[in-house]
Amino acid sequence: MRQEMLMPYALSLQSKPVAPHGLQNFADEEDRKRLTPAAVKALLRLVEAWDGSNAQGAALLGVSDSTWDRMKAGKWDGVLSQDQLTRASALIGIFKGLHLLFADSMADRWPRLANRGPIFDRRSPIEAMIEGGIPRMLETRQYIDALRGGF
């Protein structure tokens, strides 16, 4: 190929990839700054609705207990990492999926109950997600979606 034809391709490899307009990018600092306050607020409410402990909330989000305490007190002005926003997204999806699946208080009790599902091994989903991290959170979200008939 001629050099003139390769030049646009070569330049595109050197430039920073840009997400299409309107799509969030958890790797982008500006997107993370914009999304962090809503994600923290949602996670605080979610853990409260699930009757989770402070230690469980901190472990689910992947922050220290002291950071979780500052978040609860409204005294944290940090920015969540890409991994922490991924955790928040998965947990919010689980919360929403459970409320679509169950029309009663079971939606908020389910994460605390021992579960025979193949990814939980008779542990509660909260325990399994704390132990398994992001992969288990994403599996739990897929599991809930499958129960709802989404797969």
Side-chain angles (χ1 to χ4, degrees):
M1 288 184 106
R2 293 177 33 171
Q3 187 174 1
E4 305 85 44
M5 295 175 75
L6 290 175
M7 188 58 84
Y9 176 73
L11 289 174
S12 71
L13 291 176
Q14 295 173 357
S15 63
K16 179 181 171 187
V18 178
H21 182 67
L23 293 180
Q24 289 140 15
N25 180 353
F26 292 169
D28 182 74
E29 174 105 18
E30 289 305 312
D31 280 346
R32 289 188 292 113
K33 283 181 185 176
R34 181 176 51 80
L35 295 169
T36 289
V40 169
K41 185 176 181 179
L43 263 290
L44 291 171
R45 288 183 177 177
L46 177 152
V47 171
E48 183 179 341
W50 287 355
D51 201 25
S53 68
N54 285 347
Q56 288 173 327
L60 286 168
L61 186 54
V63 298
S64 68
D65 290 349
S66 61
T67 297
W68 182 260
D69 289 340
R70 286 194 312 274
M71 289 174 166
K72 282 185 73 172
K75 296 180 179 180
W76 184 78
D77 61 353
V79 176
L80 294 176
S81 70
Q82 183 174 2
D83 285 355
Q84 291 164 336
L85 277 172
T86 300
R87 289 168 176 266
S89 177
L91 292 166
I92 293 164
I94 292 165
F95 182 86
K96 181 179 178 183
L98 288 170
H99 281 268
L100 292 170
L101 182 63
F102 300 112
D104 59 16
S105 63
M106 178 56 83
D108 292 328
R109 287 193 332 259
W110 186 89
R112 295 187 317 272
L113 301 175
N115 195 304
R116 293 184 197 191
I119 62 173
F120 306 115
D121 194 29
R122 299 184 188 270
R123 293 171 295 169
S124 74
I126 288 176
E127 293 167 336
M129 290 187 292
I130 288 171
E131 182 180 314
I134 292 171
R136 187 56 39 95
M137 291 175 188
L138 295 174
E139 289 173 334
T140 302
R141 183 170 182 183
Q142 291 172 341
Y143 181 80
I144 296 299
D145 288 342
L147 288 176
R148 290 185 33 241
F151 277 65

